[in-house]
Amino acid sequence: MISPHLVRQLADPAAPYAVAEILPGLFRIPVPLPRNPLGELNSYLIRGHEGQRSLLIDTGFRTPECRQALREGLAQAGAAEDKLNVLLTHIHTDHTGLSTELAGPEGTIYIGQGDAPFTSQAWEDAYWRTIDQRFLQEGFPPEELAVTTGTNPARTLGPTLDLPNYRPLADGAVLTVGGYTLQVVATPGHTPGQVCLWLEKEGILFTADHVLFDITPNITMWPNLPNALGRYLESLARVEALPVRLALPGHRHTGDLAQRIQSLYAHHRNRVAETLAIVRRDPGLTAYQVASRMHWDIRAKSWDDFPLNQKWFATGEALAHLEYLMEEGQVIRTRSPGGLTIYDPA
């Protein structure tokens, strides 16, 4: 049985981050993410029974700070010598960076089917070429994009690719580790292959970055996931239907899942309305210009003062909302005389 005291601690924003045993053999290990607005990652460990590899869910960036914190957390959980398989809830590098070295040559690295193409270096390289070209067409200044290329952790702090260890996980796949049965729930939106993990017997859902409780998950555009925001909202409805007693998110603290899902619906309704109002007020804007007019919860005096990586994320999020409005028939996309993509009311 999950301790009510532990649930309150996991939900308390003022509680210090610490290794916590949630159920016998199931641990949360906090991994600090220095110089990153997310603050920390929740890595989860399920210890295998004798002769079985333990399962680590998400890892942190491929940095010395994350590596040290995770090693210390594994030791506190009594798993310093455990052989590990790794399950990646999605392809973002704050979740994947240390996966290949922790699994080692003999371990399996599980990843959602929709994100599996990103484990190929050639596919990854082609993806970034496509993204760079798209952002330039959407009005992102070339000189700013050049800076993000070398500083975006999505490009620089990931795991080794092109290894035989990776194994795609289909929706509904089941893994059994240490007496726990995890069912894969595909929840595309945050990434094409984002997955949640459902422990039905215990009523526990690992929500990864699909549902976060004091951060709104970033929803951006993906070349291989049309209308990412629409797919995200569909995925929210899918987990909303589960009888969850405890949600374990990928970052920070937990909370009331049903209530949080309603607030995420409301957030995106407001975001969509804001985006549409901007396009109606100032037709012919690029996505970069739309993003510059949107409200962002960030410490910056103006759009000009935004850190460049945050501008990149903001532009991607503006694109996701514009694509949603296009599918809803409220916005149209054309090319300007200068060759940039611009948006107008339908």
Side-chain angles (χ1 to χ4, degrees):
M1 180 178 178
I2 305 166
S3 161
H5 171 74
L6 177 62
V7 173
R8 287 194 296 272
Q9 182 184 39
L10 292 174
D12 182 2
Y17 298 116
V19 174
E21 188 168 21
I22 297 164
L23 286 175
L26 168 58
F27 297 85
R28 181 188 75 164
I29 300 174
V31 181
L33 302 174
R35 301 170 297 282
N36 187 284
L38 290 170
E40 52 76 41
L41 168 86
N42 291 326
S43 180
Y44 296 97
L45 173 73
I46 302 177
R47 298 202 67 189
H49 287 160
E50 187 173 348
Q52 184 186 37
R53 296 179 82 95
S54 296
L55 182 70
L56 187 69
I57 301 170
D58 293 335
T59 71
F61 288 125
R62 181 171 45 82
T63 64
E65 298 95 334
C66 290
R67 186 179 293 112
Q68 180 180 349
L70 195 48
R71 294 287 188 190
E72 290 176 357
L74 289 169
Q76 289 181 47
E81 302 302 322
D82 285 15
K83 294 182 178 180
L84 299 173
N85 291 330
V86 178
L87 192 154
L88 305 175
T89 59
H90 59 292
I91 200 61
H92 286 152
T93 55
D94 56 315
H95 293 253
T96 67
L98 293 169
S99 57
T100 49
E101 64 182 80
L102 288 166
E106 304 299 324
T108 299
I109 304 171
Y110 299 100
I111 188 165
Q113 214 162 33
D115 281 353
F118 290 89
T119 64
S120 158
Q121 188 65 60
W123 202 96
E124 171 95 348
D125 291 344
Y127 164 80
W128 283 115
R129 288 194 296 271
T130 299
I131 287 294
D132 286 347
Q133 185 59 38
R134 176 71 185 274
F135 270 59
L136 289 172
Q137 290 176 347
E138 300 288 348
F140 208 95
E143 64 278 9
E144 293 186 357
L145 188 65
V147 173
T148 69
T149 300
T151 59
N152 189 335
R155 299 179 187 237
T156 60
L157 299 179
T160 304
L161 304 180
D162 289 327
L163 296 177
N165 308 56
Y166 293 101
R167 183 177 301 175
L169 285 174
D171 183 38
V174 173
L175 299 175
T176 301
V177 184
Y180 295 102
T181 299
L182 300 93
Q183 181 181 346
V184 175
V185 182
T187 51
H190 181 62
T191 70
Q194 160 84 67
V195 297
C196 295
L197 303 167
W198 175 227
L199 275 65
E200 183 175 11
K201 179 181 175 182
E202 294 78 13
I204 291 176
L205 183 69
F206 295 89
T207 64
D209 284 9
H210 181 51
V211 178
L212 301 172
F213 290 86
D214 52 357
I215 315 168
T216 303
N218 174 257
I219 309 299
T220 188
M221 58 76 57
W222 295 87
N224 56 331
L225 184 67
N227 189 14
L229 177 57
R231 304 294 80 79
Y232 175 73
L233 296 173
E234 293 169 358
S235 296
L236 278 183
R238 189 172 189 203
V239 300
E240 186 180 18
L242 297 173
V244 176
R245 291 196 291 271
L246 176 64
L248 296 177
H251 299 278
R252 303 189 188 179
H253 300 88
T254 187
D256 183 305
L257 182 63
Q259 185 179 66
R260 181 56 177 158
I261 287 173
Q262 291 305 312
S263 70
L264 289 169
Y265 285 143
H267 168 82
H268 286 292
R269 283 196 301 269
N270 292 336
R271 222 25 163 180
V272 166
E274 178 188 25
T275 306
L276 181 59
I278 291 169
V279 173
R280 285 175 171 169
R281 185 175 64 245
D282 298 313
L285 296 177
T286 65
Y288 179 87
Q289 290 170 326
V290 171
S292 74
R293 288 159 169 78
M294 294 170 71
H295 174 265
W296 302 100
D297 187 13
I298 188 170
R299 293 179 180 176
K301 295 179 181 178
S302 67
W303 179 251
D304 290 339
D305 293 327
F306 261 52
L308 289 184
N309 285 336
Q310 296 306 311
K311 278 190 179 182
W312 187 87
F313 284 114
T315 300
E317 188 160 331
L319 271 169
H321 287 77
L322 288 164
E323 287 188 347
Y324 179 86
L325 286 163
M326 288 171 58
E327 186 158 304
E328 294 292 304
Q330 298 190 72
V331 164
I332 57 173
R333 179 169 60 198
T334 58
R335 287 290 179 90
S336 72
L340 296 179
T341 302
I342 56 174
Y343 297 87
D344 292 289

